[in-house]
Amino acid sequence: MLSADIGEGHNATASAVEEAARTLWPGCATRRLDTLEVMGPGVGPLFRWIYVRNVESTPWLYDLFYNALWRQRWFADAARRFVGAWAGPLLRRHIDAWNPDVVISTYPMATAGLDHLRRRGGLNVPTSAIVSDFCPHPFWVYPEIDLHYVMSEASLRCLHHAQPDAAGAVCVPPVSTRFRPMDRESARRSTGLPTGGFQLLVACGSLAFGSVERAVDTALTVPGVDHVVVACGRNEQLRDRLLGRQDPRGRLIPLGWVEDMPALTAAADLVLSNAGGATALEAMACGRTMIMFEPIAGHGRANAELMARAGLAELCPDTEALATALRRFTENEEHLRSYERRVLAHASSGEFTEQTARLARLPRHEGSRPLRAQDRFFVHATTPAVPQQTGAVLRMRGSPPERTARDWAEYLAWLVRERARELPMLCRVLVRGRHRAPSWHTVPEIDPWRHLSHHDTDERSAERVLNEFFTSEVPTDRPPWQLMVLCTPHSTLILAKLHHCLGDGIAVTDTLVRLLRDEEPPRPAESRSAKPGVEGGRAILPSTTPRALLDGIRTTARGFLSLARAGTAPSCFLNGPSTPARSFGTLELPTRSVRAAARAHGVPRSVLLIALVAEALHRELAEREGTRAGQRLRVMVPRTTRDSRSVTDSVEFGNHTVAVSVDLPVGPMSTTERVEQVNNLLRAGQHDGQPLAAGMVMRALGLLPTPVHRRVVRAVYQSRFFNTILSVMPGSPRPPHVWGDLVAGVVPVLPLASGVGVATGVINWGETVGIGVTADARLGGIAERLVGRIHDVSTELTGSTTESAAPPRDREGRR
């Protein structure tokens, strides 16, 4: 237990936890550390003096500090990091020496120290914090703590406002079991108080500061208040002043330190306080109505306002409001009892012992993690007209006819519950701010039905549903991914989309396979060396030998020169103002035919597929506006920097790509000649250093302040610098099964860029090559026309190279 001797609230909460622990685990050992004492000699007395002086003499200064925590995020972060770096290493000595099973903090500076230790990889036991203030402020809440207990749903909303990636839950008041509802008359007899009349208890913590005497003066003017009991705690000066008053009727009862506060609280009809801390929680546990009068500065005022909004206390900002409230409570007993019932219902909504037991078995919670520069790129590139989300269409084969989309969805929901925690991509929530760098935080649980949907429909409606799914923007108030099962009388499709900042096409496909596949994925293959250059769209970084390093510097210099010389993209009808509407075209080609055609032309399959797209673009251009000799289109080609491996291995999530530009030939020429030109062009591009230079530029951009980074990304990721996007991805030579069905085909769905009207994705998948075209709807039916042209070109090449190549399947392969 990490607490602090600064008032009794933090220690009272710690005592309640220790009491619950002894009930749960008889014979367990507990140890309590005073955080201020651990932080150094004299720290405790100094901080107590500062706290009392601020509240009593300079409340404006305390308000200034408290408001700055909420309004100036940089200030809150700096203050918390400073305290954490101070307290964390000092606490660690004691924690390591004692080797506890659970660590629980009831003091914010201690929680800051625990957060510091967690961020540096230490403290691998369940770690939690109990926020005894009703309104958690930024100094109370930390992203690396496994769980924060707060006092109400309103408090939980404040917690997430203070720290969006913090883990929180609501608990009942964390007070000793001695604080419980009991008969007022019995409680008064046990404390020696008068047994009759209406009693107001004024309890403002162990230090009893604030407007105590103003509250007493006002209460004594209300005829219905028979006795005013004041718990002065350690404030002997206050008690002496109250005892010195003339009180012939004996209505004022000043008390010093009281050992039996549970009975004193239960004896009251009303409890008046000014901070909303432990005293308020103890009154709630006893089922007593609270009045918050002239709350102390900073957290006291925030606590009181939140309790009032939750209907658990009456807030009186001045003496006039206090007098009115006291008259209402003394004259209307039903009003008083309704408050008591509401407070008691809240305080008895759970068992604190059971809630304490949860703290011993908490899963590890990770706070925010900054996005890599490559991932932030796609956060900044996102606009309402060009959402950056990537996806795939999985075509199942062998599904029983009686299996409905609802059946599929329930099975996928079970898979999500079982496997999502092991797949980091599926558990990340995007945290964004206008001036802060975007970051990830991990959610402890995934609700499958917030990510899953299903449709049973006919073939004609399936096209509309598919278009609507991939056109709508993926929600970012949860992990930004969605699945849909789409069943028609002749096909079963699983549609998937994710925000592009989660990962590139390889990461997306890998995650889908690992989530859905029936069999356990094999162990990752041993690291395999790869030849320098680019193979299958993969950019390989050079080795680090001295000679290779020198070659790498030269290559990078050539790359920067190539980027500088590239200039702007040629004018093309594909480019224009972006709209939110999309159209999609999908096609599957037989892998055997593509392989045979590539072999016949003496080029890799990736080169042949890029040439097919170039030929399709040529034919579209020729029909629309004519083409001329030597005409080219600037194509942005993402190239992966991952090691060479298939998606059956475990792939790190995130974007591990660099973008290079290629000027594809689209002028008049034979298809064979175009294949040859594309091959020569890509081969030369392997050595021009663009991938290395582009990767360095991407990382350098990530060092810019967030507003500047956003502006630069949107300035460069647009049609001024390229006409279209084309990505060729490796896939799986051995497609997996899902619920006994073969994933017979996969078609990628790529996002567009600002002003760029067409993007084409290609993936090799078992017996098929999946091709997906995304187009801005302003271009009409170009997506369908392009996949049709790719199909026609493939048929021409296949017919000229092999007679055994199987024709593409029309219904299942082409939409």
Side-chain angles (χ1 to χ4, degrees):
M1 291 300 311
L2 304 180
S3 183
D5 186 9
I6 184 165
E8 282 301 307
H10 304 292
N11 284 332
T13 303
S15 297
V17 176
E18 290 167 344
E19 180 185 49
R22 286 190 292 270
T23 302
L24 287 165
W25 308 293
C28 75
T30 63
R31 182 180 178 187
R32 189 188 306 184
L33 294 179
D34 186 321
T35 307
L36 297 178
E37 183 178 310
V38 171
M39 289 172 69
V43 173
L46 175 63
F47 274 53
R48 285 189 288 273
W49 181 85
I50 292 173
Y51 179 53
V52 173
R53 294 286 81 74
N54 269 290
V55 170
E56 292 192 326
S57 305
T58 58
W60 61 269
L61 186 60
Y62 190 37
D63 267 336
L64 182 67
F65 171 77
Y66 184 82
N67 292 334
L69 290 176
W70 280 105
R71 296 174 182 172
Q72 306 297 330
R73 185 70 193 200
W74 66 267
F75 175 75
D77 289 343
R80 298 190 306 172
R81 292 293 177 93
F82 172 77
V83 171
W86 178 4
L90 298 173
L91 290 171
R92 182 170 193 163
R93 300 175 189 175
H94 297 270
I95 293 172
D96 288 349
W98 210 58
N99 191 27
D101 297 294
V102 185
V103 178
I104 301 174
S105 170
T106 65
Y107 183 57
M109 288 190 175
T111 313
L114 298 179
D115 177 81
H116 175 88
L117 296 180
R118 273 289 180 85
R119 281 188 284 108
R120 279 153 181 77
L123 203 59
N124 292 318
V125 299
T127 303
S128 57
I130 300 179
V131 183
S132 53
D133 273 359
F134 209 83
C135 180
H137 54 74
F139 221 99
W140 257 119
V141 185
Y142 294 86
E144 298 296 321
I145 303 304
D146 296 328
L147 186 67
H148 299 77
Y149 268 146
V150 295
M151 300 301 107
S152 71
E153 291 294 337
S155 307
L156 190 60
R157 288 191 291 272
C158 278
L159 177 143
H160 288 132
H161 179 54
Q163 188 69 45
D165 56 340
V170 177
C171 77
V172 296
V175 299
S176 168
T177 54
R178 296 171 60 212
F179 289 93
R180 64 185 187 278
M182 64 178 73
D183 178 67
R184 282 186 176 84
E185 187 174 343
S186 300
R188 291 174 182 181
R189 281 198 298 269
S190 69
T191 54
L193 294 173
T195 57
F198 190 99
Q199 290 189 11
L200 171 69
L201 171 64
V202 179
C204 295
S206 63
L207 302 177
F209 51 42
S211 303
V212 175
E213 290 176 273
R214 285 166 57 82
V216 169
D217 292 339
T218 303
L220 291 175
T221 66
V222 178
V225 178
D226 298 295
H227 297 96
V228 180
V229 182
V230 184
C232 299
R234 294 193 173 95
N235 194 336
E236 290 297 329
Q237 295 87 350
L238 172 65
R239 183 167 183 258
D240 291 342
R241 290 196 301 271
L242 295 177
L243 286 172
R245 291 190 175 207
Q246 296 296 323
D247 183 27
R249 294 175 54 189
R251 296 175 65 198
L252 179 60
I253 306 175
L255 303 175
W257 183 260
V258 176
E259 294 294 340
D260 194 3
M261 275 303 295
L264 187 66
T265 304
D269 292 287
L270 272 175
V271 179
L272 183 147
S273 189
N274 61 4
T279 300
L281 301 180
E282 291 164 355
M284 289 171 60
C286 292
R288 296 297 179 255
T289 303
M290 286 289 304
I291 288 182
M292 305 301 292
F293 172 63
E294 292 188 359
I296 61 175
H299 73 286
R301 186 174 297 114
N303 288 341
E305 291 174 352
L306 194 62
M307 289 186 72
R309 286 202 300 270
L312 300 174
E314 185 92 0
L315 176 58
C316 300
D318 53 38
T319 55
E320 183 179 350
L322 176 61
T324 301
L326 289 174
R327 283 193 291 271
R328 187 165 58 249
F329 281 120
T330 56
E331 295 170 2
N332 187 342
E333 184 176 357
E334 179 55 32
H335 179 63
L336 177 66
R337 301 304 172 223
S338 67
Y339 252 100
E340 289 181 350
R341 288 192 293 270
R342 186 160 58 244
V343 168
L344 190 57
H346 179 82
S348 59
S349 59
E351 288 290 336
F352 184 62
T353 302
E354 296 177 3
Q355 292 167 339
T356 301
R358 180 185 177 188
L359 302 182
R361 53 179 187 270
L362 291 173
R364 179 70 180 258
H365 177 77
E366 290 184 357
S368 292
R369 296 290 185 271
L371 272 70
R372 299 163 55 252
Q374 296 93 322
D375 303 329
R376 293 202 301 275
F377 185 95
F378 292 104
V379 176
H380 296 324
T382 297
T383 68
V386 283
Q388 294 301 303
Q389 54 196 38
T390 184
V393 180
L394 281 63
R395 178 174 56 83
M396 314 306 296
R397 188 168 69 198
S399 185
E402 67 275 8
R403 190 178 288 173
T404 66
R406 175 71 187 187
D407 297 333
W408 268 104
E410 290 179 349
Y411 177 72
L412 297 187
W414 176 79
L415 289 178
V416 169
R417 282 190 290 266
E418 291 292 312
R419 298 179 178 178
R421 290 295 305 168
E422 305 302 321
L423 300 170
M425 182 184 288
L426 302 183
C427 301
R428 297 292 201 265
V429 174
L430 185 62
V431 180
R432 287 180 288 186
R434 185 175 180 183
H435 301 294
R436 297 181 64 202
S439 58
W440 292 122
H441 84 264
T442 303
V443 294
E445 296 179 0
I446 297 291
D447 179 0
W449 295 108
R450 295 192 75 196
H451 301 268
L452 279 170
S453 58
H454 55 89
H455 280 278
D456 286 296
T457 185
D458 55 33
E459 299 289 347
R460 178 175 299 178
S461 298
E463 295 296 332
R464 175 184 54 81
V465 174
L466 184 145
N467 278 20
E468 289 175 353
F469 177 80
F470 285 112
T471 299
S472 62
E473 194 167 353
V474 65
T476 55
D477 62 341
R478 66 204 74 167
W481 58 271
Q482 287 184 307
L483 296 176
M484 176 187 284
V485 182
L486 184 57
C487 289
T488 71
H490 304 292
S491 64
T492 298
L493 304 176
I494 298 177
L495 316 182
K497 65 179 178 184
L498 306 89
H499 197 295
H500 207 337
C501 63
L502 281 171
D504 51 35
I506 296 176
V508 169
T509 309
D510 170 76
T511 297
L512 288 175
V513 168
R514 294 170 64 196
L515 172 68
L516 302 176
R517 68 183 306 152
D518 288 343
E519 66 274 18
E520 287 296 320
R523 294 179 179 178
E526 295 181 1
S527 178
R528 291 169 285 191
S529 61
K531 297 179 181 180
V534 179
E535 180 66 27
R538 182 168 51 89
I540 305 301
L541 301 181
S543 62
T544 55
T545 62
R547 183 179 180 86
L549 187 59
L550 181 60
D551 290 341
I553 293 173
R554 291 172 178 167
T555 303
T556 305
R558 288 198 302 271
F560 279 116
L561 185 60
S562 175
L563 289 174
R565 288 176 173 174
T568 58
S571 177
C572 176
F573 80 94
L574 295 176
N575 305 126
S578 295
T579 70
R582 297 288 181 268
S583 63
F584 302 94
T586 64
L587 171 69
E588 291 181 41
L589 301 176
T591 300
R592 182 175 55 178
S593 299
V594 174
R595 185 188 302 118
R599 189 183 304 117
H601 287 83
V603 297
R605 270 186 291 172
S606 58
V607 170
L608 180 81
L609 291 166
I610 292 173
L612 291 181
V613 176
E615 178 65 23
L617 288 169
H618 156 70
R619 297 184 183 188
E620 183 69 20
L621 281 166
E623 184 176 302
R624 278 181 173 256
E625 55 189 34
T627 56
R628 62 186 182 278
Q631 185 174 356
R632 293 175 180 265
L633 282 185
R634 180 74 53 78
V635 181
M636 195 274 285
V637 180
R639 288 179 175 172
T640 181
T641 58
R642 299 179 188 273
D643 291 337
S644 176
R645 54 186 169 182
S646 73
V647 297
T648 56
D649 299 329
S650 178
V651 172
E652 182 183 359
F653 90 99
N655 290 273
H656 296 264
T657 58
V658 292
V660 297
S661 60
V662 178
D663 289 338
L664 284 185
V666 293
M669 66 184 72
S670 69
T671 305
T672 300
E673 185 180 358
R674 199 178 312 278
V675 172
E676 183 178 353
Q677 283 204 22
V678 169
N679 186 44
N680 293 336
L681 185 67
L682 294 178
R683 184 178 297 174
Q686 293 179 10
H687 306 289
D688 69 1
Q690 266 204 38
L692 287 172
M696 294 181 68
V697 169
M698 183 81 78
R699 288 190 290 274
L701 290 178
L703 300 176
L704 296 172
T706 296
V708 179
H709 190 192
R710 186 185 300 116
R711 286 177 177 265
V712 173
V713 167
R714 293 183 180 180
V716 300
Y717 197 63
Q718 48 126 323
S719 57
R720 183 182 179 189
F721 298 103
F722 54 93
N723 305 113
T724 185
I725 301 169
L726 173 58
S727 178
V728 180
M729 294 168 279
S732 175
R734 295 178 298 277
H737 288 74
V738 177
W739 206 10
D741 293 2
L742 177 69
V743 183
V746 172
V747 174
V749 179
L750 270 56
L752 302 178
S754 179
V756 175
V758 171
T760 306
V762 182
I763 188 169
N764 293 280
W765 191 265
E767 298 178 356
T768 66
V769 174
I771 301 175
V773 177
T774 305
D776 194 309
R778 66 177 172 80
L779 295 174
I782 191 173
E784 286 285 349
R785 290 197 303 274
L786 282 177
V787 296
R789 296 185 191 281
I790 293 170
H791 171 265
D792 294 341
V793 177
S794 171
T795 302
E796 294 168 12
L797 289 178
T798 300
S800 65
T801 58
T802 176
E803 295 181 355
S804 61
R809 283 160 286 192
D810 185 48
R811 178 61 260 162
E812 292 183 334
R814 176 180 167 190
R815 293 186 175 277

